[in-house]
Amino acid sequence: MTATPTSIPDVLVIEPTVFGDDRGWFFESFNEKDFSAAVGKSVSFVQDNHSSSKKGVLRGLHYQMEQTQGKLVRVCHGAVFDIAVDLRRSSLTFGKWMGVELSAENKKQLWVPPGFAHGFLVLSETAEFLYKTTDYWHAGSEKCIVWNDETLNIQWPNLGMRPVLNPKDAAGLTWNDAPKF
Ligand SMILES: Cc1cn([C@H]2C[C@H](O)[C@@H](COP(=O)(O)OP(=O)(O)O[C@H]3O[C@H](C)C(=O)[C@H](O)[C@H]3O)O2)c(=O)[nH]c1=O
């Protein structure tokens, strides 16, 4: 596997080694030893999540203030534009966002450390999204930053349709009002 820092150095694009043969392909989707070596410290996960969404669905930008979650995210069907926003006040990239296309085809994964808001926009007809988290869901401290916040000015791909959001996300906080770390 390779791990490549993004414009936010703590956020890494992970690319697995894919072994193809005349039957198809195989890759290790997670290896704790290799992943911890790439991140530079031991990282363990306690929860796996799996969601399916139709084209134009935008989930996010989510984070939780307690039991803050690191997330290792990937797509096993379709494609999404995945976003991470740095909420760590002491970070040189505080308030910065980064985006990358994750797809079943490119098999890329994104490591989003604790301290970030995370979300994605579905680019394909449907997308299945898998991710591991370093702490458990804590519904009581969940926060959402609204997808089109003017301060963050995230450059989402233009699908020619308004994103499909649930009411919670549509009513998300502005960057200025959102609690930070
Ligand atoms: C996150 C979560 C949700 N749920 C239940 C709560 C709801 O009844 C249902 C759907 O939850 P929600 O609408 O919050 O799901 P997403 O919008 O996909 O939320 C996720 O979206 C973005 C992309 C993230 O990064 C977060 O991991 C997560 O917040 O699953 C659980 O039972 N466990 C969980 O860990």
Side-chain angles (χ1 to χ4, degrees):
M1 65 167 262
T2 62
T4 308
T6 64
S7 56
I8 300 177
D10 291 336
V11 177
L12 304 175
V13 172
I14 307 289
E15 295 185 81
T17 302
V18 181
F19 300 94
D21 61 27
D22 56 9
R23 300 168 298 169
W25 48 260
F26 172 93
F27 70 93
E28 292 182 359
S29 53
F30 177 70
N31 179 305
E32 182 167 320
K33 178 170 62 71
D34 293 349
F35 180 75
S36 294
V39 172
K41 62 180 181 179
S42 177
V43 178
S44 60
F45 297 96
V46 297
Q47 187 174 313
D48 278 349
N49 297 330
H50 188 168
S51 67
S52 176
S53 308
K54 61 186 179 184
K55 184 170 185 176
V57 164
L58 194 155
R59 296 178 185 251
L61 300 160
H62 298 161
Y63 62 106
Q64 47 192 52
M65 291 302 291
E66 296 177 37
Q67 298 173 200
T68 54
Q69 295 175 313
K71 299 169 186 173
L72 179 58
V73 306
R74 68 189 180 103
V75 170
C76 65
H77 174 79
V80 309
F81 187 68
D82 203 70
I83 293 281
V85 181
D86 195 345
L87 301 178
R88 303 167 302 173
R89 293 184 185 281
S90 62
S91 168
L92 293 177
T93 51
F94 176 65
K96 299 298 183 192
W97 64 272
M98 60 71 61
V100 62
E101 182 170 329
L102 305 177
S103 69
E105 183 180 3
N106 71 21
K107 298 180 177 58
K108 289 182 179 179
Q109 304 179 16
L110 192 67
W111 163 239
V112 182
F116 283 75
H118 172 256
F120 63 85
L121 172 67
V122 177
L123 307 175
S124 50
E125 285 310 308
T126 59
E128 290 204 27
F129 195 80
L130 303 171
Y131 54 113
K132 311 173 83 67
T133 62
T134 59
D135 210 330
Y136 296 103
W137 180 47
H138 190 269
S141 70
E142 275 191 316
K143 302 297 177 188
C144 175
I145 296 175
V146 69
W147 67 283
N148 59 352
D149 179 81
E150 291 181 0
T151 303
L152 292 175
N153 191 28
I154 293 170
Q155 298 301 297
W156 298 96
N158 182 356
L159 299 180
M161 60 185 284
R162 191 158 178 81
V164 177
L165 299 100
N166 73 0
K168 175 187 72 167
D169 292 354
L173 299 168
T174 63
W175 164 258
N176 291 330
D177 291 341
K180 318 293 193 305
F181 293 99

